[in-house]
PDB file of all heavy atoms in Angstrom:
ATOM      1  N   ARG A 537     -10.831 -41.948 -84.161  1.00 52.00           N
ATOM      2  CA  ARG A 537      -9.405 -41.652 -84.342  1.00 52.00           C
ATOM      3  C   ARG A 537      -8.781 -42.748 -85.159  1.00 52.00           C
ATOM      4  O   ARG A 537      -9.157 -43.965 -85.263  1.00 52.00           O
ATOM      5  CB  ARG A 537      -8.554 -41.681 -82.998  1.00 52.00           C
ATOM      6  CG  ARG A 537      -8.868 -40.463 -82.193  1.00 52.00           C
ATOM      7  CD  ARG A 537      -7.831 -40.518 -80.972  1.00 52.00           C
ATOM      8  NE  ARG A 537      -7.920 -39.369 -80.302  1.00 52.00           N
ATOM      9  CZ  ARG A 537      -7.121 -39.149 -79.189  1.00 52.00           C
ATOM     10  NH1 ARG A 537      -6.249 -39.998 -78.814  1.00 52.00           N
ATOM     11  NH2 ARG A 537      -7.128 -37.866 -78.461  1.00 52.00           N
ATOM     12  N   LYS A 547      14.122 -54.170 -89.750  1.00 95.00           N
ATOM     13  CA  LYS A 547      14.632 -55.005 -90.896  1.00 95.00           C
ATOM     14  C   LYS A 547      13.476 -55.253 -91.905  1.00 95.00           C
ATOM     15  O   LYS A 547      13.772 -55.631 -92.983  1.00 95.00           O
ATOM     16  CB  LYS A 547      15.230 -56.328 -90.430  1.00 95.00           C
ATOM     17  CG  LYS A 547      14.276 -57.308 -89.880  1.00 95.00           C
ATOM     18  CD  LYS A 547      14.991 -58.505 -89.321  1.00 95.00           C
ATOM     19  CE  LYS A 547      13.972 -59.583 -88.797  1.00 95.00           C
ATOM     20  NZ  LYS A 547      12.975 -59.938 -89.706  1.00 95.00           N
ATOM     21  N   GLY A 588      27.506 -74.245-111.423  1.00 84.00           N
ATOM     22  CA  GLY A 588      28.586 -74.563-112.481  1.00 84.00           C
ATOM     23  C   GLY A 588      28.945 -76.022-112.287  1.00 84.00           C
ATOM     24  O   GLY A 588      28.178 -76.904-112.265  1.00 84.00           O
ATOM     25  N   ALA A 723      27.629 -47.018 -95.098  1.00 92.00           N
ATOM     26  CA  ALA A 723      28.578 -48.052 -94.493  1.00 92.00           C
ATOM     27  C   ALA A 723      29.855 -47.138 -94.522  1.00 92.00           C
ATOM     28  O   ALA A 723      30.424 -46.750 -95.543  1.00 92.00           O
ATOM     29  CB  ALA A 723      28.803 -49.173 -95.493  1.00 92.00           C
ATOM     30  N   GLY A 764       9.018 -54.022-110.979  1.00 96.00           N
ATOM     31  CA  GLY A 764       8.590 -55.439-111.282  1.00 96.00           C
ATOM     32  C   GLY A 764       7.070 -55.638-110.905  1.00 96.00           C
ATOM     33  O   GLY A 764       6.495 -54.827-110.283  1.00 96.00           O
ATOM     34  N   LYS A 815      26.100 -64.255-120.879  1.00 87.00           N
ATOM     35  CA  LYS A 815      25.756 -63.128-120.029  1.00 87.00           C
ATOM     36  C   LYS A 815      24.315 -63.412-119.319  1.00 87.00           C
ATOM     37  O   LYS A 815      23.851 -62.843-118.457  1.00 87.00           O
ATOM     38  CB  LYS A 815      25.486 -61.809-120.706  1.00 87.00           C
ATOM     39  CG  LYS A 815      26.782 -61.322-121.326  1.00 87.00           C
ATOM     40  CD  LYS A 815      27.620 -60.779-120.223  1.00 87.00           C
ATOM     41  CE  LYS A 815      28.863 -60.150-120.911  1.00 87.00           C
ATOM     42  NZ  LYS A 815      29.775 -59.405-119.766  1.00 87.00           N
TER      43      LYS A 815
END
Side-chain angles (χ1 to χ4, degrees):
R537 287 186 174 184
K547 67 180 181 64
K815 298 287 186 179

